[in-house]
Amino acid sequence: GAGVSQSPSNKVTEKGKDVELRCDPISGHTALYWYRQSLGQGLEFLIYFQGNSAPDKSGLPSDRFSAERTGGSVSTLTIQRTQQEDSAVYLCASSLPATDTQYFGPGTRLTVL
Amino acid sequence: AQSVTQLDSQVPVFEEAPVELRCNYSSSVSVYLFWYVQYPNQGLQLLLKYLSGSTLVKGINGFEAEFNKSQTSFHLRKPSVHISDTAEYFCAVVFGGAGSYQLTFGKGTKLSVIP
């Protein structure tokens, strides 16, 4: 079946602009995760959604970052007033229940000029 | 603090030679352990995982890893590497066992296979 898909694959934006990154999880996966991969920090957890429960936002680096998951499926990660340090690859993953294997999408490479 | 350490940032190895990529974690709680591979400009692909049971786990592409609880290690091995194994390898841990979900990653090891 289809894997996790993310769009866009690349995004170049100017400092101060808002961006939206999209993730389509594997059909039937109830858990969805966002991670960030950057040269300085490696791979970092950002946020976790499980069903209709309140999301775990403990990894979001600032209040400029937010995410939502509509209808228990597609998720959007929004970064407001982007800064150069936001440049990174943003990875989405999904799984059946939490603690099951997380399957990753190809990522969105964000470049903030 | 709970952390994951990959001791080698880069490992060069000749084709058909064996390789071991090291991973250690610091925690006294239950863990689930994973190895992921990332090819250039691609996402992460699961190689293998340890959740419970036998401490020797086999994965895709001929890789295997052994969980050593006393040494808090989960080293990845392959007896004979191919050019196509050139990639970056990440060790990842879920700390706390059942009910936990956040993956904590090591910094990665870049494996370069030399013809």
Side-chain angles (χ1 to χ4, degrees):
Chain A
V4 178
S5 60
Q6 293 186 245
S7 60
S9 55
N10 282 283
K11 176 72 176 178
V12 180
T13 190
E14 294 179 347
K15 178 180 173 181
K17 301 284 189 183
D18 297 351
V19 295
E20 286 189 351
L21 313 179
R22 177 187 169 103
C23 171
D24 282 273
I26 293 172
S27 178
H29 279 193
T30 56
L32 187 147
Y33 317 75
W34 284 97
Y35 292 84
R36 179 169 72 172
Q37 185 175 23
S38 58
L39 282 175
Q41 302 299 321
L43 278 151
E44 306 171 281
F45 165 81
L46 296 178
I47 188 168
Y48 160 74
F49 296 90
Q50 170 60 51
N52 296 320
S53 302
D56 174 0
K57 304 179 183 180
S58 61
L60 294 178
S62 79
D63 58 8
R64 296 186 294 104
F65 288 72
S66 62
E68 62 178 19
R69 188 178 186 190
T70 53
S73 181
V74 171
S75 176
T76 302
L77 177 70
T78 301
I79 309 173
Q80 296 179 308
R81 305 181 302 282
T82 52
Q83 304 295 313
Q84 288 183 333
E85 61 262 28
D86 299 335
S87 295
V89 176
Y90 289 82
L91 294 167
C92 176
S94 70
S95 71
L96 286 168
T99 72
D100 204 334
T101 303
Q102 296 179 29
Y103 294 90
F104 284 80
T108 294
R109 182 176 297 277
L110 175 66
T111 304
V112 182
L113 301 177
Chain B
Q2 296 164 336
S3 63
V4 181
T5 302
Q6 291 183 244
L7 295 169
D8 304 301
S9 60
Q10 297 189 54
V11 173
V13 62
F14 285 103
E15 192 175 14
E16 297 183 6
V19 70
E20 178 180 81
L21 306 182
R22 296 178 292 171
C23 174
N24 288 83
Y25 63 92
S26 59
S27 175
S28 58
V29 301
S30 300
V31 293
Y32 294 150
L33 302 160
F34 304 82
W35 276 97
Y36 285 88
V37 59
Q38 187 175 39
Y39 298 101
N41 300 313
Q42 295 188 27
L44 297 169
Q45 180 182 0
L46 180 71
L47 274 178
L48 48 77
K49 63 183 177 183
Y50 171 81
L51 303 182
S52 65
S54 173
T55 58
L56 180 64
V57 292
K58 295 187 183 298
I60 62 171
N61 301 340
F63 284 93
E64 65 179 32
E66 187 159 19
F67 170 48
N68 188 319
K69 187 174 181 179
S70 63
Q71 296 187 7
T72 60
S73 68
F74 190 55
H75 300 332
L76 180 70
R77 302 185 184 97
K78 185 169 182 178
S80 176
V81 296
H82 302 290
I83 296 290
S84 59
D85 293 324
T86 295
E88 189 159 19
Y89 293 79
F90 292 92
C91 179
V93 181
V94 173
F95 294 102
S100 304
Y101 48 81
Q102 180 178 330
L103 281 169
T104 300
F105 287 89
K107 294 292 188 185
T109 298
K110 291 185 178 178
L111 175 64
S112 298
V113 180
I114 305 164

